[in-house]
């Protein structure tokens, strides 16, 4: 099961999306909910891939980088002269995590495949 979660989070994410789409009436709300839940899936997959590639436990480093997105988002809101709303900061940061973890997973997965092909 671990191999499938790490290797194919897009497939699992899409299956959850299709199930929730049948249950929930609005597809936009379903997509947002699945993206929000997908952060956990991609975070776990990226952490396992990083540990496999590096050989050390770098979970805390990945967690620190992901947590740094929230204050950076607050600073960005302040630079844009907007009032910093913590709910808005959390939602935007959480969705930004999704947008960053998906390509990171693709890069790490490609590096892992290349590393295994070389050895």
């Amino acid at each position: 099961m671990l191999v499938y979660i790490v290797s194919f989070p897009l497939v699992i994410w899409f299956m959850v999306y299709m199930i929730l789409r049948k249950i929930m009436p609005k597809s936009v709300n379903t997509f947002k909910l699945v993206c929000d839940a997908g952060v956990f899936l991609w975070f776990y997959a990226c952490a396992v891939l990083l540990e496999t590639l590096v050989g050390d436990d770098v979970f805390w480093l990945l967690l620190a980088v992901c947590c740094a997105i929230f204050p950076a988002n607050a600073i960005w809101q302040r630079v844009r002269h907007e009032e910093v709303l913590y709910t808005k900061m959390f939602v935007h940061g959480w969705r930004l995590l999704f947008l960053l973890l998906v390509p990171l997973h693709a890069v790490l997965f490609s590096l892992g495949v290349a590393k295994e092909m070389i050895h």
Side-chain angles (χ1 to χ4, degrees):
M1 183 67 177
L2 176 64
V3 172
Y4 294 114
I5 291 173
V6 172
S7 301
F8 305 107
L10 184 62
V11 174
I12 296 170
W13 180 83
F14 186 72
M15 289 180 354
V16 171
Y17 172 72
M18 294 308 291
I19 291 169
L20 286 178
R21 190 169 170 202
K22 296 291 182 188
I23 296 171
M24 296 180 68
K26 288 191 173 186
S27 63
V28 174
N29 292 338
T30 303
F31 185 76
K32 289 179 183 179
L33 181 64
V34 172
C35 285
D36 290 344
V39 170
F40 291 111
L41 179 66
W42 262 285
F43 180 80
Y44 177 72
C46 287
V48 171
L49 283 171
L50 269 174
E51 183 177 345
T52 303
L53 288 173
V54 175
D56 291 330
D57 186 17
V58 290
F59 170 78
W60 297 108
L61 178 64
L62 182 64
L63 183 63
V65 169
C66 288
C67 288
I69 288 175
F70 297 102
N73 191 13
I75 292 169
W76 177 250
Q77 285 180 6
R78 187 52 100 186
V79 166
R80 291 177 42 196
H81 302 291
E82 295 179 10
E83 182 181 349
V84 178
L85 302 173
Y86 292 107
T87 56
K88 185 177 176 183
M89 177 190 68
F90 184 75
V91 170
H92 286 178
W94 195 256
R95 301 235 167 98
L96 186 61
L97 271 176
F98 178 78
L99 293 175
L100 293 175
L101 288 173
V102 171
L104 176 66
H105 177 267
V107 168
L108 291 174
F109 185 75
S110 300
L111 287 174
V113 169
K115 181 180 175 183
E116 287 300 316
M117 290 178 74
I118 291 173
H119 287 88

